[in-house]
Amino acid sequence: MNTQEIINQLPYGKEFLFVDELFQVNEEFVKGTYTFSKDLNFYDSHFKNKPITPAVILTETMAQIGLVCLGIFLLKDQLNDKNLAFAMTSSALDFMQPVYPGEQVWVSSEKKYFRFNKLSCSVKMENVKGEIVSKGTISGMLLSQGHE
């Protein structure tokens, strides 16, 4: 499975897709980028006079690149089931730098473990200067939609 095939499998619409490009993905690691367009709706209100990217959106970006993309790669043989979905189960992240409209970020993620359909990763987000924006751990589960 190549990087574009992974991006095509992501379960997000255009307005909530925070992955532009994947540069590396293997059984243990993924690295990709996203650029926060200046015209994203949340910048009008967060904050009115000095917009910054909300931490929840940074978390989502790290989860999409660092957890879901890696999960899709690891589960490539099981993705024929249209009922598969991913759910973030926990995150423990530290935020060190703001991300402003128009900025590009790089997300790298290393698998800690993948068992019983639960994936846990050490993730790091950097800006183009190489400064760490956020780092920590994100975990998630593979779910069958429509089943409890």
Side-chain angles (χ1 to χ4, degrees):
M1 177 174 268
N2 68 40
T3 58
Q4 190 57 53
E5 290 171 327
I6 293 169
I7 292 171
N8 292 344
Q9 289 283 332
L10 289 168
Y12 310 106
K14 181 182 176 210
E15 297 295 319
F16 208 73
L17 178 63
F18 299 112
V19 181
D20 286 334
E21 194 169 358
L22 296 177
F23 292 97
Q24 182 180 358
V25 62
N26 60 44
E27 298 284 331
E28 303 294 324
F29 183 83
V30 64
K31 186 170 189 170
T33 65
Y34 182 72
T35 300
F36 290 95
S37 171
K38 292 179 181 184
D39 62 354
L40 290 169
N41 291 338
F42 52 78
Y43 287 131
D44 291 337
S45 301
H46 194 269
F47 295 96
K48 290 190 286 188
N49 297 319
K50 187 159 173 82
I52 63 170
T53 308
V56 67
I57 299 296
L58 298 176
T59 301
E60 180 65 27
T61 304
M62 288 187 286
Q64 286 186 19
I65 294 173
L67 190 73
V68 181
C69 287
L70 183 57
I72 288 170
F73 179 82
L74 294 172
L75 295 168
K76 58 186 171 264
D77 296 332
Q78 298 175 38
L79 290 177
N80 293 331
D81 182 359
K82 297 290 185 205
N83 292 326
L84 295 179
F86 296 90
M88 191 168 73
T89 58
S90 65
S91 66
L93 299 169
D94 293 318
F95 296 90
M96 288 84 148
Q97 300 281 336
V99 175
Y100 298 104
E103 273 197 81
Q104 182 183 58
V105 294
W106 291 72
V107 175
S108 56
S109 175
E110 186 174 333
K111 179 178 76 175
K112 291 174 71 174
Y113 65 83
F114 180 54
R115 60 182 174 269
F116 305 115
N117 286 344
K118 184 168 184 178
L119 176 61
S120 182
C121 299
S122 294
V123 295
K124 177 174 64 171
M125 177 183 281
E126 296 174 279
N127 60 25
V128 293
K129 297 176 190 172
E131 300 168 325
I132 296 176
V133 169
S134 181
K135 67 179 180 175
T137 301
I138 295 180
S139 300
M141 295 224 33
L142 168 71
L143 306 170
S144 279
Q145 292 178 335
H147 300 276
E148 298 196 22

